[in-house]
Amino acid sequence: MRPDDPFDDPVTARAVIAADGTLVRWNEGARLLLGHSAEQVVGRAAADLLATGAEPPPPPSGTLWSGTLALRHQDGGTVTVWVLAHRVRREDGGTGDWLVVTPLGSGETDPSEDPLLRAAMFQSPCATAVFDRDLRLRGVNDAMAALLGLPARQLRGLRPTELGSQPRHFELERHMSQVLRSGRGHDMQTRVRAAGEGRGQAWLARIAPLTDDGGRVAGVCVTAHDFTEQYSARARLQLVNEASIRIGTTLDVTRTAQELTEVCVPALADFVSVDLLEQSDPGADATGPPALPVTLRRVAHRSRNPGGFELIADTDEVVVYPAAAPQADSLLAGHSVVASVPSGDLHPWLAADETRARQVRELGVHSILSVPLQARGTTLGVAVFTRFRHPESFTHDDVLLAEEVTARAAVCIDNARRYSRERETTRTLRRSLLPRGLPRTAAVDSASRYLPAARSGVGGDWFDVIPLSGMRVAIVVGDVAGRGIQASATMSRLRTAVRTLADIDLAPDELLTHVDDLVLHLAHEAAGDGDDGRGEAADSGHGEVGATCLYAVYDPVSRRCTLARAGHPPPVLVPPDGPARVLDLPSGPPLGLGGLPFESVELELSEGSVLAFYTDGLTEGPAGDTETGRLTLTDALSNAASGSLDEACDRVLDTLLGPGSRTEDAALLLTRTRGLPSSQVATWDIPADPALVAPIRKQVLDQLGIWSLTEASFTAELVVSELVTNAIRYGAPPIRLRLICDAATLICEVSDTSHTAPHLRRAKTWDEGGRGLLLVAQLTQRWGSRHTFEGKTIWAELGLLEQEEL
């Protein structure tokens, strides 16, 4: 037995029974109860002490047993007692003997007459009040009287609503009435400012029914427990949980900062502002502490008094904090700073700013908490918490709570800033990859629209209008699978490849074959088959690069258009004298499959026909119903042959996309064909005789006179002479010369049936020839050659406006 609980204490009767039922110990209290001495019972069976005919207790199943037993007194009488038995644990951890106890003389005194119990009732630290069935106060203990701040003797007979007129008094009376009717207890939470205390406390009122000897409810007992600490801890956890849910719902810096203020007002402060550091370089994070005075930009604020404290600085205004300001102190120190008016911490700052000092006095600001916004080792700005209606200053727990919420907001703000920065970077990249404006050509008028996906802002849709030789034009639209910067980068490579292949005048089906090879190469690189320059395979984790493309070449002289597509949606044709329709073109395989042929189709288009090129993001509905989208597109283009192409683009977008957010990129390119009159084209068949070049020059000069282009006669005569002479000397008949003229350009083309391409070279001083093409290159805007089914064509363009200036 423990020293503070001696076994031989005679106040209680004690005995120890071994596991086999033998009595092993017997104290003086047991002798007084039954008259047997220890020498008479120790070593005997405990069952021998049961009265004659008494039923033995059931074997205990656990470690504790209690019940009433009839025991045999030494004088032969029977003693009925209540017994408590519990098993004693041994020092080695095992279960040992049973200790059996019963109090002596427990029923001699009425508990209600016990002076110690009466003293405990009134002196208990637990505030207690007793009301009768009429909800009249019968009495309160000292703790409740101190809580109420009223004399206990004068309160008898009052109802709760007579003790006070606050809403909590009416609520307490209502709950007490429910307890009287139901007979079941009830708990009520409220805030009470105890007498003599400056701040309110959270209290739990436990209302329990009181019953008489007949079991009827005779009144209620109300006990009040101060659980301010638990209440505050729960409120802090609730605020942190709310912050995790409500802050960072978008990737917008301003909205995220505003969410921080909405969560913290009025739960934590009466006014909260968020000021961010200005970024001198938008592409870099701030390093090191800011310089004094600290220049910040107000991005969000919220107040319990709208139109009050926040008027010192509105959102998106620059705020400058001197060294004495708590905002500057916290940013320089890198930790939270609490400043209050009573402590004098704010005096240096307010003394330097009379406007702010007056505002602080008028609102009654008494405490300011400044918390730096820090994320990933970078200081973003500062969140300032101000109290003027909260009576209490910021406590240590308040600081920890503000830091926890601010840390969450800082990560969200940093994510938003990084996202905005990367989004703008990719958008800038996207703008640089797409044509800034469509070129003005004599072949087509064009207008375009590009709408990126609402979430990513960039994607793989692209289009282009490429001027070709002979006043022809190439029209291309494509779509790279996926979104984001990877799709844009792939799109850029394909667009560059298409422009390069277009410059060498490849036929549409042949061009798509080369682009298909490029996509296969990109797929191998993405899968890690390429080398990263260090002898190791580059592995990006992706091995598929999907893309589609539609390529068309239109010749305004012949008014014929050749088209081929690689898995791309077919264009819509709107003739000037008929309804819009989707062109029936061989679909061709998507780019990147390899080994499959592409087919081209040649159409003759009337002047003024409109061709609509688009990506599937324009016609795919939410359920992927492209057929319905194409029918809608056709209807929207019904009047596109006349009127503005820009208006037609807007009408198509309004009809197909509407105001909702887009999950896919959408590109639209409209082109209206123009025809070159036959009067602006002159053609001659050239005999393969160098002696006949002079008559050809004469005919060219005559034609230029008809076109009123005498200013270009000298240059054109030299160019024609060199190209025709080269064709006669190195080419194969038949040879043909063609001049094409529009308002700004004169084109000279010489065709023959030889497939040998000309080469520009630099002749040596003593060479008699080899300077013809060099001369052509210097006299013209551009020149080149293209292969045809019959052979080749060498062409050169002269800028007529430049000739006029000369």
Side-chain angles (χ1 to χ4, degrees):
M1 290 299 163
R2 300 189 308 271
D4 58 347
D5 188 21
F7 181 81
D8 289 331
D9 187 351
V11 176
T12 57
R14 300 188 181 194
V16 175
I17 303 175
D20 59 359
T22 303
L23 283 167
V24 294
R25 296 192 68 182
W26 186 265
N27 80 335
E28 178 63 18
R31 187 193 66 80
L32 295 175
L33 176 64
L34 297 179
H36 303 285
S37 64
E39 292 79 5
Q40 294 173 327
V41 296
V42 171
R44 298 177 57 184
D48 294 345
L49 295 178
L50 293 174
T52 303
E55 185 175 348
S61 58
T63 59
L64 185 68
W65 182 89
S66 63
T68 301
L69 296 179
L71 301 178
R72 178 174 56 84
H73 195 273
Q74 185 184 22
D75 60 8
T78 300
V79 178
T80 303
V81 295
W82 178 84
V83 174
L84 174 64
H86 52 86
R87 191 181 290 273
V88 180
R89 183 176 295 275
R90 298 201 306 262
E91 293 182 359
D92 60 1
T95 55
D97 302 334
W98 286 89
L99 173 64
V100 183
V101 299
T102 184
L104 299 179
S106 58
E108 294 179 356
T109 305
D110 187 353
S112 62
E113 299 177 359
D114 191 330
L116 188 59
L117 291 179
R118 290 199 302 271
M121 166 64 186
F122 289 99
Q123 299 176 23
S124 170
C126 180
T128 306
V130 177
F131 295 83
D132 60 19
R133 287 194 58 83
D134 296 326
L135 301 184
R136 297 293 177 180
L137 185 64
R138 299 291 291 270
V140 298
N141 66 354
D142 296 343
M144 180 63 79
L147 177 62
L148 298 175
L150 298 172
R153 294 182 179 275
Q154 308 300 325
L155 301 178
R156 185 179 176 86
L158 298 179
R159 294 173 65 96
T161 52
E162 294 172 336
L163 293 172
S165 300
Q166 299 295 325
R168 65 175 178 271
H169 296 96
F170 292 91
E171 184 181 5
L172 176 62
E173 191 166 298
R174 179 170 56 85
H175 290 311
M176 290 170 61
S177 299
Q178 292 177 354
V179 171
L180 286 174
R181 289 193 301 269
S182 65
R184 295 190 298 270
H186 183 79
D187 291 346
M188 167 187 160
Q189 297 180 9
T190 185
R191 292 190 69 88
V192 178
R193 181 180 297 179
E197 293 187 0
R199 56 180 296 180
Q201 304 290 331
W203 292 84
L204 174 65
R206 314 206 75 165
I207 309 170
L210 299 175
T211 58
D212 57 16
D213 294 339
R216 295 182 298 272
V217 178
V220 292
C221 175
V222 180
T223 57
H225 307 270
D226 184 355
F227 76 122
T228 303
E229 292 299 326
Q230 297 89 330
Y231 179 85
S232 299
R234 186 172 62 186
R236 289 192 292 270
L237 289 176
Q238 183 176 357
L239 184 62
V240 171
N241 180 68
E242 186 177 0
S244 65
I245 296 174
R246 294 178 54 187
I247 298 177
T249 59
T250 66
L251 285 172
D252 180 79
V253 172
T254 302
R255 180 56 194 154
T256 302
Q258 190 63 38
E259 289 168 344
L260 169 62
T261 65
E262 292 171 356
V263 167
C264 296
V265 175
L268 185 57
D270 302 308
F271 174 77
V272 177
S273 63
V274 178
D275 303 331
L276 298 183
L277 288 165
E278 294 275 40
Q279 288 182 298
S280 56
D281 181 6
D285 294 325
T287 57
L292 291 174
V294 181
T295 301
L296 303 170
R297 183 172 294 276
R298 175 68 52 84
V299 293
H301 56 213
R302 187 176 182 85
S303 174
R304 296 180 70 172
N305 295 338
F309 191 78
E310 61 267 28
L311 292 182
I312 293 177
D314 205 348
T315 54
D316 205 37
E317 285 189 6
V318 174
V319 187
V320 179
Y321 293 107
Q327 294 89 338
D329 290 343
S330 63
L331 285 174
L332 292 176
H335 58 72
S336 302
V337 171
V338 178
S340 63
V341 172
S343 65
D345 299 332
L346 294 174
H347 289 169
W349 178 40
L350 300 180
D353 191 338
E354 180 57 32
T355 302
R356 194 179 299 271
R358 182 177 65 256
Q359 196 84 354
V360 167
R361 289 193 300 268
E362 291 175 356
L363 287 174
V365 174
H366 59 81
S367 185
I368 291 179
L369 167 60
S370 181
V371 182
L373 285 162
Q374 297 173 329
R376 300 180 179 94
T378 301
T379 300
L380 307 176
V382 64
V384 182
F385 303 81
T386 305
R387 284 184 174 179
F388 49 85
R389 290 178 60 179
H390 276 73
E392 304 88 9
S393 298
F394 289 104
T395 64
H396 178 68
D397 290 336
D398 293 331
V399 174
L400 294 179
L401 177 59
E403 290 175 343
E404 174 68 20
V405 175
T406 302
R408 293 173 181 265
V411 172
C412 295
I413 290 175
D414 186 56
N415 289 339
R417 291 179 69 167
R418 290 172 182 266
Y419 170 77
S420 299
R421 187 166 60 205
E422 293 178 5
R423 180 184 176 93
E424 184 58 32
T425 300
T426 52
R427 282 184 169 179
T428 302
L429 173 63
R430 178 73 194 188
R431 287 192 295 268
S432 67
L433 297 178
L434 285 175
R436 294 182 178 271
L438 298 176
R440 299 174 60 89
T441 68
V444 294
D445 295 324
S446 54
S448 64
R449 295 292 185 272
Y450 170 74
L451 295 178
R455 182 173 299 177
S456 64
V458 294
D461 291 8
W462 57 285
F463 54 86
D464 218 339
V465 176
I466 308 170
L468 302 178
S469 62
M471 291 200 178
R472 296 169 306 128
V473 65
I475 307 162
V476 59
V477 61
D479 184 2
V480 176
R483 293 186 294 271
I485 195 168
Q486 183 62 41
S488 291
T490 302
M491 176 272 292
S492 173
R493 300 177 73 172
L494 295 184
R495 177 171 179 254
T496 302
V498 168
R499 290 191 70 93
T500 302
L501 296 171
D503 283 342
I504 59 177
D505 271 310
L506 292 180
D509 53 347
E510 187 178 353
L511 181 141
L512 290 180
T513 301
H514 286 282
V515 178
D516 183 54
D517 292 338
L518 173 61
V519 174
L520 280 173
H521 177 70
L522 295 178
H524 288 315
E525 284 187 352
D529 293 343
D531 194 285
D532 64 356
R534 298 172 296 178
E536 299 176 1
D539 186 6
S540 65
H542 302 281
E544 296 181 1
V545 178
T548 62
C549 185
L550 170 61
Y551 186 79
V553 175
Y554 173 69
D555 187 347
V557 177
S558 65
R559 295 184 177 86
R560 301 192 69 81
C561 182
T562 306
L563 308 94
R565 64 187 181 118
H568 200 82
V572 175
L573 172 63
V574 188
D577 55 354
R581 71 178 190 274
V582 178
L583 289 178
D584 185 15
L585 301 180
S587 62
L591 298 174
L593 296 183
L596 299 176
F598 299 96
E599 299 181 51
S600 61
V601 172
E602 187 174 75
L603 306 173
E604 185 171 350
L605 301 178
S606 302
E607 184 174 1
S609 298
V610 173
L611 281 172
F613 303 86
Y614 55 93
T615 57
D616 55 10
L618 186 68
T619 56
E620 278 190 356
D625 185 6
T626 58
E627 190 61 33
T628 302
R630 290 176 187 173
L631 292 176
T632 306
L633 173 61
T634 304
D635 294 339
L637 289 169
S638 58
N639 298 322
S642 60
S644 168
L645 291 181
D646 283 313
E647 293 178 359
C649 284
D650 294 336
R651 183 169 61 252
V652 168
L653 295 186
D654 292 341
T655 303
L656 273 79
L657 299 182
S661 61
R662 300 169 302 280
T663 58
E664 296 291 339
D665 299 355
L668 173 65
L669 174 62
L670 299 184
T671 60
R672 180 181 287 125
T673 62
R674 302 164 69 179
L676 203 64
S678 58
S679 60
Q680 294 180 239
V681 181
T683 305
W684 295 272
D685 290 325
I686 308 297
D689 185 356
L692 299 178
V693 174
I696 295 298
R697 290 201 300 265
K698 177 63 171 62
Q699 295 179 40
V700 168
L701 292 176
D702 292 341
Q703 183 63 50
L704 293 179
I706 296 173
W707 288 339
S708 301
L709 297 177
T710 54
E711 296 86 354
S713 297
F714 177 75
T715 304
E717 183 181 9
L718 288 176
V719 170
V720 167
S721 178
E722 291 298 334
L723 295 183
V724 170
T725 300
N726 276 350
I728 294 174
R729 180 177 299 176
Y730 303 110
I735 301 171
R736 176 171 293 180
L737 168 65
R738 184 171 72 163
L739 295 183
I740 305 173
C741 170
D742 72 349
T745 307
L746 175 65
I747 301 175
C748 303
E749 295 184 344
V750 177
S751 304
D752 66 82
T753 57
S754 171
H755 292 278
T756 303
H759 296 284
L760 183 66
R761 64 187 181 89
R762 193 174 298 275
K764 299 178 181 179
T765 305
W766 53 84
D767 289 344
E768 296 183 359
R771 298 177 179 84
L773 289 181
L774 179 61
L775 182 62
V776 170
Q778 292 177 339
L779 292 176
T780 60
Q781 282 184 332
R782 61 180 189 142
W783 75 280
S785 66
R786 65 177 182 269
H787 289 278
T788 64
F789 291 109
E790 297 82 9
K792 69 175 181 297
T793 298
I794 303 175
W795 55 270
E797 292 184 3
L798 284 73
L800 298 180
L801 298 180
E802 295 179 359
Q803 297 295 329
E804 292 178 1
E805 293 176 358
L806 293 175

